[in-house]
Amino acid sequence: LSDAVSNVSICNIRKVSAIITSPPYMNSLSYARDNRLRLWFLGVDDHKKLEPALSPRKSEFLTMMQHLLLMWSKLLVKDGLCILVLGAVRKGGKYHDLPAEILDIAKNMRCGLHPTAICKNVIPDIRRARVNCCATREDTILVFRKRK
């Protein structure tokens, strides 16, 4: 994803009215492993090599999100929506409230994206896909509206 962020040129892309996405949650899921069949169909022989890029550390994740928020604000029409599904992550005994950090980043960047709704969803133990069900216990949906 970080390569995609740095290589995307938005000058030839039309404006959009909505962006809906769920960025990786700092290594709490194994995206490459979970999508290895899809990757195989796309010609990727070794999904393990992709994991570091698809599941960044916290500092890389927050830097990536700064770049993406700026890019998304340029892509959105006025009053367009940017909807993010993010997880709060417990890793190494620490709680990382990624949705709150993304809200702070958007506020401090003044990129024109303003939060209009926040919806938290607790993930029941039976629906968690990882060993010990510890990493992500809730998803938060952040809805931003472009005002600039």
Side-chain angles (χ1 to χ4, degrees), residues 45-90:
D45 293 324
D46 187 2
H47 69 276
K48 293 176 185 175
K49 289 181 182 178
L50 287 177
E51 202 62 54
L54 294 175
S55 298
R57 292 187 310 265
K58 184 177 180 180
S59 61
E60 295 166 337
F61 175 81
L62 295 175
T63 299
M64 177 183 70
M65 289 306 299
Q66 284 179 320
H67 293 293
L68 288 169
L69 287 168
L70 183 59
M71 183 175 69
W72 292 333
S73 72
K74 292 177 181 177
L75 282 171
L76 284 169
V77 298
K78 186 176 184 240
D79 292 325
L81 296 175
C82 179
I83 302 169
L84 305 178
V85 180
L86 297 158
V89 176
R90 184 169 305 279

Side-chain angles (χ1 to χ4, degrees), residues 15-29:
K15 298 277 186 177
V16 297
S17 57
I19 295 168
I20 303 170
T21 187
S22 180
Y25 303 173
M26 299 178 7
N27 269 334
S28 65
L29 296 175

